[in-house]
């Protein structure tokens, strides 16, 4: 029960300069946390503006052009500035070296560079927003993106730069996990969060260059009329979609795999149990990282690609779903015969499992080729990917924020308030996105500034849910900010977790460990007394 | 039962034969999902209650999944997913294969309207009139950016891509009106790019055709300019673009393959293989002639990207389709004819 000691990473140099020039992975993680939270807030404001516009058919608060720019900004901000860096860059940076018993990541300077690349890319994209903003959607489909008169170029360049931040972070984690594991920490003793970050990093390093390339091609087409995607110059508009989804489908797993890692940690910690099937969680992580590259064509069933091609992509998409199903079963199995403490991180975990299950099953339904012809590009798809991205990734992000808050800052937060906010968020989420599934069934296409009146009642329900969500997020921001200074001191391991990261002090000292940690057992082991599952 | 489930899941009216089929799969899949969800939720909640932490030092046993259970976790969902896939892909192949006797209509998406052109006559903006109980094939393209032709009541959509034709077929069993929406984001007024499919009974459709014919005043006036059918317009395009300098319409091979009887034939390709000369291949050959060169011909044709508008390339395809050899063969797609085309 040591107070936040003078030697913690937080107190090792208190000037702004000491933060801006730091090589400490923990400080870099905290910087990413602050930056991504800021962009999450910004993207959330855009989302609320969209929901208010959709409250009534016809013009409510903004015109068509403003709406089209708004949903583009919402998508770009949430996907590239929040969702992709949130868990790997913030929590991954903070936790991976602690979990594997290392003093830092493999390339600390490169790690600092990734912060600056992210800030530079975000600034360029934001500058584009002030220039009026792109109106293409975050997918930049050609030929619209190469012909529209809005400020597409700064957004393309900004995202291009952010891509390098992602690649650098991924490379750093791969090198770190391969070379800096403490003696005795074999691959099959790695914590599941580290496995998840490792799998994510592989996707980041392999897929992100394709995004950079395709964005550069769109920029080239806009600036000099290269004719790569323009049919009037001999190009192919569908080529863009193939290249874009070759990145962006795996990118979904860049967002979801780290979340799954958080959940694996939280389920074990709060049920005080070993993982029900560690092996299957590890293999399914690698399986998702691999098969995720072969499913991009399921975004294009209606585009005019060949019928057989659609079938092949549909079948591959079924395989990727299996890996997710395995994980859900294993998490449920982990609860079995545990000692379950219902704390806010576990509430978010339960929300996560529910949303991932529903979002995932509906995702499989979309991969069913004939049904996709109705659901494709409707609000049903909007609801589906918000279930996966908000329902799963944001839930896991909040679970991670609450679970590791004491680790990062050495303080506790008011538990009852946190549980209340978690319940509010889960119900707000259901109220926001379940109506959107029904809207999609009814045939409401996405990206509509205006709609026929018979869709209105469901839109009202969805906007009401979104305001509940907003209150929930504000509450969290309030009590966490308060707890930073006034929360009760947490001690080194307030949850009684066996996660390897809790073997250092909370908050950790600058070089993580005063004595080298030992790894006699695998991760998440709470009891050596082995019993058959059915006992 | 169908009606109850349709309302329960907020699915719109079933306006096509495909909608009825695909909705059964909808119900099967949504009900299975809900059933599994209830099962998993019940197990999860019972664990939460039963294994709730009672004291800070509850002991827990070490439980590891046995191999057979892991196999079950993989096998059960996989077989369910593959069942969905097989059922769905069967329907998908069906809906992607237009029947021979379809009525053809050309659809052009344009910011922000839908243009429907009947091969034998006039065109209409935003309203597509079709007969009930008969397959209709839409040949869809775009003049500017990508749009997507979406009829929720038919449970299907298809992208309109500049520079190529995609197709979509449906059969509306009974008369009615169905909204058309654009499902691919296409710019400022994307959300108001709407149209309507009007399904008439065969008798009403015949009457509508007659009215169309009568309402074309120019056709009735001697000496007036005859409204062009698409095929006639295609002939003008072929002359104006110089196509006929290399392609003959008489059956004689020249620098390029003859157009007589070309439509619907399997053409052998340079370098092996063969291709069916349908709308897609003919369009591709205009836009990118060297992609699939017919065996025995030199790769000398220039590309017509940017030189042929969407309407002109459609008209050319119709012209080529009208050049049928005088021998019995597979019946070509029938078209409504409003005015004498002069051929």
């Amino acid at each position: 029960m040591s107070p936040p000691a003078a030697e913690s990473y937080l107190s090792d140099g208190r000037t702004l300069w000491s933060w801006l020039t730091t090589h400490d992975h923990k400080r870099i993680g905290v910087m990413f946390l602050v930056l991504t939270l800021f962009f999450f807030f910004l993207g959330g404001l855009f989302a609320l503006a969209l929901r208010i516009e959709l409250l009534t058919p016809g013009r409510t608060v903004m015109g068509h052009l403003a709406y089209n720019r708004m949903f583009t900004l919402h998508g770009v901000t949430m996907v590239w500035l929040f969702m992709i860096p949130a868990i790997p860059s913030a929590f991954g940076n903070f936790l991976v070296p602690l979990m594997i018993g290392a003093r830092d990541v493999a390339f600390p300077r490169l790690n600092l560079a990734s912060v600056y690349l992210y800030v530079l890319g975000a600034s360029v994209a934001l500058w584009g927003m002030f220039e009026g903003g792109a109106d293409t959607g975050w997918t930049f489909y050609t030929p619209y993106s190469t012909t529209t008169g809005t400020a597409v170029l700064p957004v393309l360049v900004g995202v291009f730069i952010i891509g390098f931040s992602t690649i650098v972070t991924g490379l750093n984690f791969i090198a770190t996990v391969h070379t800096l594991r403490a003696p005795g920490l074999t691959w099959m003793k790695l914590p599941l969060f580290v496995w998840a970050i490792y799998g994510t990093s592989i996707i980041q390093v392999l897929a992100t260059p394709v995004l950079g390339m395709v964005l550069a091609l769109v920029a080239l087409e806009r600036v000099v009329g290269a004719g790569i995607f323009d049919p009037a110059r001999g190009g192919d508009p569908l080529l863009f979609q193939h290249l874009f989804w070759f990145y962006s489908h795996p990118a979904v797993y860049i967002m979801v795999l780290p979340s799954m890692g958080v959940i694996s940690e939280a389920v074990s910690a709060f049920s005080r149990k070993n993982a029900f099937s560690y092996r299957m969680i590890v293999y399914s992580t690698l399986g998702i990282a691999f098969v995720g590259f072969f499913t991009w064509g399921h975004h294009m069933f209606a585009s005019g690609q060949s019928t057989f091609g659609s079938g092949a992509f549909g079948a591959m998409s079924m395989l990727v779903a299996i890996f997710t199903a395995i994980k859900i079963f294993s998490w449920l199995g982990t609860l079995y015969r545990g000692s379950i403490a219902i704390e806010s991180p576990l509430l978010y975990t339960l929300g996560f499992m529910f949303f991932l299950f529903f979002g995932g099953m509906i995702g499989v339904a979309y991969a069913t080729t004939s049904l996709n012809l109705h659901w494709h590009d409707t609000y049903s798809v909007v609801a589906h990917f918000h279930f996966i991205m908000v329902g799963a990734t944001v839930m896991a992000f909040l679970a991670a924020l609450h679970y590791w808050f004491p680790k990062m800052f050495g303080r506790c937060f008011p538990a009852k308030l946190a549980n209340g906010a978690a319940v509010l968020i889960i119900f707000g989420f259901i109220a926001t996105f379940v109506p959107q599934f029904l809207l999609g069934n009814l045939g409401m296409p996405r990206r509509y500034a205006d709609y026929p009146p018979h869709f209105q009642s469901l839109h009202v329900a969805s906007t009401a849910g979104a305001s509940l969500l907003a209150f929930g997020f504000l509450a969290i921001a309030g009590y966490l900010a308060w707890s930073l200074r006034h929360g009760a001191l947490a001690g080194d391991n307030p949850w009684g977790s066996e996660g390897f990261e809790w073997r250092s002090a909370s908050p950790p000292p600058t070089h993580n460990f005063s004595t080298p940690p030992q790894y006699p057992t695998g991760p998440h082991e709470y009891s050596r007394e082995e019993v058959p599952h059915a006992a | 039962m169908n009606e109850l489930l349709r309302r329960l899941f907020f699915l719109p009216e079933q306006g096509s034969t495909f909608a009825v089929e695909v909705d059964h799969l909808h119900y099967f899949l949504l009900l299975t999902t809900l059933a599994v969800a209830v099962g998993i939720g019940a197990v999860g909640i019972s664990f939460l209650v039963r294994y709730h932490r009672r004291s800070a030092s509850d002991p827990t046993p070490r439980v590891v999944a046995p191999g057979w259970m892991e196999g079950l976790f993989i096998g059960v969902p996989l077989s369910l997913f593959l069942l969905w896939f097989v059922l769905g892909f069967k329907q998908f192949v069906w809906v992607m294969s237009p029947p021979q006797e379809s009525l053809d209509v050309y659809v052009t998406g344009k910011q922000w309207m839908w243009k429907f052109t009947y091969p034998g006559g006039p065109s209409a903006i935003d309203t597509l009139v079709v007969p009930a109980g008969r397959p209709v094939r839409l040949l869809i393209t775009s003049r500017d950016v990508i749009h997507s032709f979406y009829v929720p009541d038919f449970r299907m959509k298809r992208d309109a891509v500049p520079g190529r034709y995609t197709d979509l077929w449906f059969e509306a069993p009974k008369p009615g009106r169905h909204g058309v929406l654009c499902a691919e984001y296409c710019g400022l007024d994307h959300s108001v790019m709407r149209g309507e499919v009007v399904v008439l009974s065969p008798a009403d459709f015949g009457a509508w055709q007659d009215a169309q014919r009568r309402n074309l005043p120019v056709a009735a006036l001697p000496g007036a300019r005859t409204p062009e059918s698409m095929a006639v317009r295609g002939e003008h395009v072929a002359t104006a673009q110089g196509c006929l300098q290399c392609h003959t319409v008489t059956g004689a091979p020249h620098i390029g393959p003859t157009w007589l009887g070309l439509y619907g034939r399997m053409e052998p390709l340079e370098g092996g293989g063969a291709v069916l000369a349908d709308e897609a291949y003919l369009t591709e050959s205009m836009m990118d002639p060297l992609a699939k060169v017919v065996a025995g011909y030199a790769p000398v044709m220039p590309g017509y990207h940017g030189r042929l508008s969407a309407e002109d390339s459609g008209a050319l395809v119709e012209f080529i389709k009208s050049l049928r050899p005088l021998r019995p063969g597979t019946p070509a797609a029938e078209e409504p004819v409003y005015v004498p085309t002069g051929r």
Side-chain angles (χ1 to χ4, degrees), chain A residues 214-521:
Chain A
V214 71
L215 294 182
L217 290 179
V218 173
L220 204 64
E221 181 116 345
R222 267 190 84 82
V223 177
V224 299
I228 298 156
F229 306 120
D230 178 6
R233 292 169 185 266
D236 181 357
L238 295 191
L239 176 64
F240 173 85
Q241 296 183 20
H242 282 291
L243 292 173
F244 180 81
W245 289 116
F246 183 80
Y247 162 79
S248 292
H249 194 77
V252 173
Y253 304 115
I254 297 181
M255 306 173 210
V256 174
L257 270 182
S259 319
M260 292 172 163
V262 172
I263 297 310
S264 299
E265 297 285 333
V267 168
S268 276
F270 291 94
S271 59
R272 211 177 272 167
K273 277 279 301 297
N274 62 308
F276 188 54
S277 184
Y278 174 88
R279 217 162 41 106
M280 286 215 304
I281 292 192
V282 170
Y283 293 152
S284 63
T285 298
L286 298 176
I288 288 175
F290 182 70
V291 181
F293 279 100
F294 301 96
T295 60
W296 79 88
H298 69 216
H299 296 264
M300 299 171 66
F301 288 159
S303 71
Q305 78 181 354
S306 81
T307 306
F308 180 77
S310 295
F313 282 120
M316 290 304 280
S317 307
M318 298 295 173
L319 294 185
V320 85
I322 277 300
F323 296 119
T324 307
I326 294 171
K327 283 177 190 280
I328 291 182
F329 287 131
S330 178
W331 293 325
L332 270 182
T334 304
L335 293 177
Y336 174 68
R337 302 197 63 185
S339 165
I340 302 171
I342 306 208
E343 301 276 1
S344 54
L346 188 76
L347 285 175
Y348 288 114
T349 299
L350 298 174
F352 171 96
M353 284 161 65
F354 175 75
F355 296 138
L356 184 75
F357 174 84
F358 259 101
M361 286 292 265
I362 297 293
V364 174
Y366 299 156
T368 305
T369 37
S370 63
L371 297 176
N372 182 281
L373 288 183
H374 178 59
W375 277 325
H376 178 70
D377 269 341
T378 64
Y379 256 75
S380 188
V381 172
V382 175
H384 157 69
F385 71 71
H386 279 89
F387 259 66
I388 299 291
M389 291 178 176
V390 187
T393 307
V394 174
M395 290 300 143
F397 179 76
L398 292 174
L401 194 60
H402 287 85
Y403 178 41
W404 284 306
F405 187 85
K407 176 89 238 164
M408 297 175 105
F409 304 108
R411 301 269 180 181
C412 288
F413 47 82
K416 284 201 173 126
L417 212 52
N419 290 353
V423 171
L424 183 63
I425 291 229
I426 289 170
F427 281 99
F429 180 84
I430 293 173
T432 309
F433 293 105
V434 169
Q436 296 190 9
F437 271 123
L438 302 176
L439 273 172
N441 279 6
L442 208 49
M444 163 99 192
R446 62 195 285 205
R447 296 178 171 162
Y448 262 30
D450 187 10
Y451 53 85
H454 65 280
F455 294 125
Q456 194 191 352
S457 47
L458 287 167
H459 275 298
V460 171
S462 180
T463 303
S467 53
L468 283 186
L469 264 183
F471 282 122
F473 287 125
L474 283 181
I476 294 174
Y479 69 73
L480 284 188
W482 178 85
S483 306
L484 274 179
R485 278 187 174 278
H486 309 289
L489 291 179
D492 283 352
N493 191 352
W495 308 118
S497 170
E498 289 289 323
F500 289 166
E501 73 278 18
W502 299 97
R503 295 180 179 196
S504 67
S506 304
T510 304
H511 292 298
N512 295 353
F513 301 98
S514 39
T515 51
Q518 303 296 312
Y519 297 93
T521 63

Side-chain angles (χ1 to χ4, degrees), chain B residues 247-296:
Chain B
H247 297 279
T248 69
V249 294
T250 56
H254 192 37
I255 297 170
T258 181
W259 284 355
L260 184 69
L262 174 61
Y263 177 75
R265 198 160 65 196
M266 288 300 291
E267 290 282 87
L269 291 179
E270 198 68 46
V275 65
L276 176 69
D278 56 4
E279 286 84 354
Y281 174 69
L282 294 176
T283 310
E284 183 190 12
S285 295
M286 292 172 209
M287 303 303 168
D288 185 10
L290 306 188
K292 293 182 188 124
V293 178
V294 176

Side-chain angles (χ1 to χ4, degrees), chain A residues 33-55:
Chain A
L33 184 63
V34 172
L35 288 165
T36 50
L37 279 172
F38 169 72
F39 286 110
F40 181 57
F41 175 71
L42 205 61
L45 285 185
F46 294 142
L48 274 183
L50 295 173
R51 287 285 5 135
I52 290 168
E53 168 58 33
L54 290 172
L55 205 51

Side-chain angles (χ1 to χ4, degrees), chain A residues 11-29:
Chain A
S11 50
D12 183 11
R14 289 177 182 277
T15 57
L16 184 63
W17 186 248
S18 73
W19 279 81
L20 293 180
T21 57
T22 183
H23 294 155
D24 185 343
H25 67 97
K26 298 181 287 300
R27 289 194 159 198
I28 290 170

